[in-house]
């Protein structure tokens, strides 16, 4: 199915997977609505999309933890493009740490962004999609949502929640409202995500394991998102589990 002319909201669009996804979908002729807290980066991305003569891009800065920001995002999207055909819930944090080190503020941030941010996004776009009886919701989970490892207790829990929530959404929405839902679950991707890690023990123990590995690139995940979006409406891609070839687990 062609996505040309369709409108997709992308959270965390200022870098990494969100930025790569915006470029990919715009290249395929879609309208993209870019949201994140870094407005300057969003404007740079909009300019890049315009220079490539691809789809249209709308910048709406916002914080996924704030319901009012998402309501404003949905309102401006409909005013500009008259529809919301898809939501890519990409914004996320990964400040890994050992539980014993009690980085409780970081735990709160992960719950707020990784879980509540996804819920807020769905709540903002769902009325429009239900009225249209069509749409795609793509939630970025992680391979960490399937398996636990030391230092990832809270992060893995948040991504497991996203994965389970996605399947619950699919069961409720796809049969009755023609809204397809997909959980994208990547392994190690070369993005800014690891920059949020402050726990020195984790940096030494975990990140050293990835030094010799060729990671996935953000563009790889963008391709998997496009794959899910471009299927015929009769086909719901439930999960995309994508790992670096060199990553064992």
């Amino acid at each position: 199915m062609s996505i040309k002319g369709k409108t997709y909201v992308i959270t965390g669009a200022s870098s990494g997977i969100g930025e790569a996804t915006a470029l990919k979908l715009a290249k395929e002729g879609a309208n993209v609505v870019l949201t994140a807290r870094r407005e300057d980066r969003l404007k740079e991305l909009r300019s890049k999309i315009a220079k490539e003569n691809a789809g249209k891009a709308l910048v709406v800065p916002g914080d996924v933890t704030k319901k009012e920001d998402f309501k404003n995002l949905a309102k401006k999207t409909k005013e500009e493009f008259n529809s919301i055909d898809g939501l890519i819930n990409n914004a996320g944090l990964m400040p890994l740490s050992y539980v014993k080190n009690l980085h409780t503020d970081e735990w709160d941030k992960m719950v707020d962004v990784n879980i509540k941010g996804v819920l807020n996004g769905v709540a903002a776009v769902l009325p429009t999609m239900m009225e249209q009886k069509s749409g795609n919701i793509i939630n970025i989970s992680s391979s960490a949502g399937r398996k636990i490892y030391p230092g990832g207790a809270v992060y893995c829990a948040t991504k497991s929640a996203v994965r389970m929530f996605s399947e619950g959404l699919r069961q409720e929405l796809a049969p009755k409202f023609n809204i397809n839902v997909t959980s994208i679950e990547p392994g190690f991707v070369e993005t800014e995500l690891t920059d949020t890690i402050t726990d020195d023990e984790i940096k030494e123990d975990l990140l050293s394991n990835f030094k010799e590995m060729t990671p996935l690139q953000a563009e790889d995940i963008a391709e998997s998102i496009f794959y899910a979006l471009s299927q015929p409406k009769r086909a719901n891609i439930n999960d995309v589990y994508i790992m670096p070839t060199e990553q064992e687990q």
Side-chain angles (χ1 to χ4, degrees):
M1 184 182 71
S2 173
I3 67 169
K4 186 175 182 179
K6 294 187 178 295
T7 301
Y8 299 98
V9 174
I10 305 169
T11 73
S14 59
S15 65
I17 293 171
E19 179 181 6
T21 299
L23 289 168
K24 172 62 180 177
L25 300 188
K27 182 180 179 181
E28 297 294 335
N31 306 314
V32 291
V33 181
L34 314 173
T35 189
R37 291 177 298 175
R38 295 181 290 183
E39 186 174 3
D40 56 334
R41 295 284 293 270
L42 296 178
K43 289 180 176 179
E44 289 174 9
L45 177 57
R46 180 179 61 190
S47 296
K48 187 174 182 179
I49 289 171
K51 287 179 181 179
E52 294 179 358
N53 297 316
K56 298 177 182 178
L58 172 67
V59 168
V60 185
D63 185 335
V64 298
T65 67
K66 297 179 180 179
K67 295 179 182 179
E68 289 303 315
D69 283 7
F70 254 124
K71 289 178 181 178
N72 178 59
L73 175 64
K75 179 176 179 289
K76 289 192 173 182
T77 300
K78 290 193 70 175
E79 288 175 350
E80 182 73 18
F81 298 117
N82 299 314
S83 69
I84 303 174
D85 299 298
L87 167 68
I88 292 89
N89 264 320
N90 165 71
L93 297 174
M94 193 183 72
L96 302 176
S97 65
Y98 293 114
V99 175
K100 66 181 178 62
N101 293 335
L102 298 178
H103 291 265
T104 56
D105 288 345
E106 293 179 351
W107 302 352
D108 290 342
K109 288 179 182 178
M110 277 192 282
V111 171
D112 287 344
V113 175
N114 295 0
I115 300 178
K116 292 181 182 179
V118 170
L119 300 180
N120 291 341
V122 170
V125 305
L126 196 53
T128 298
M129 290 186 179
M130 290 173 63
E131 183 180 354
Q132 295 171 171
K133 288 195 178 297
S134 67
N136 285 83
I137 295 173
I138 293 186
N139 297 323
I140 307 300
S141 178
S142 169
S143 63
R146 292 175 176 255
K147 52 199 173 188
I148 193 72
Y149 52 84
V154 179
Y155 177 71
C156 293
T158 65
K159 290 303 185 179
S160 181
V162 170
R163 179 169 171 260
M164 194 63 69
F165 177 61
S166 299
E167 175 57 13
L169 276 180
R170 185 198 66 79
Q171 292 183 16
E172 291 186 26
L173 301 179
K176 294 181 180 179
F177 298 101
N178 200 34
I179 300 171
N180 287 356
V181 183
T182 303
S183 173
I184 305 288
E185 299 157 20
F188 183 50
V189 184
E190 188 175 20
T191 68
E192 296 178 359
L193 205 57
T194 56
D195 294 347
T196 61
I197 298 175
T198 63
D199 191 305
D200 291 333
E201 285 187 84
I202 283 291
K203 289 181 180 180
E204 182 177 349
D205 295 346
L206 181 66
L207 297 185
S208 61
N209 295 331
F210 292 125
K211 287 183 178 178
E212 303 302 322
M213 181 193 305
T214 302
L216 294 168
Q217 298 299 307
E219 291 77 13
D220 301 327
I221 313 308
E223 289 290 345
S224 68
I225 291 170
F226 173 67
Y227 168 76
L229 291 175
S230 59
Q231 298 303 305
K233 290 304 295 181
R234 65 177 180 271
N236 187 106
I237 304 299
N238 293 28
D239 302 273
V240 177
Y241 188 63
I242 175 171
M243 298 286 283
T245 301
E246 297 174 3
Q247 184 174 344
E248 292 181 357
Q249 57 181 334

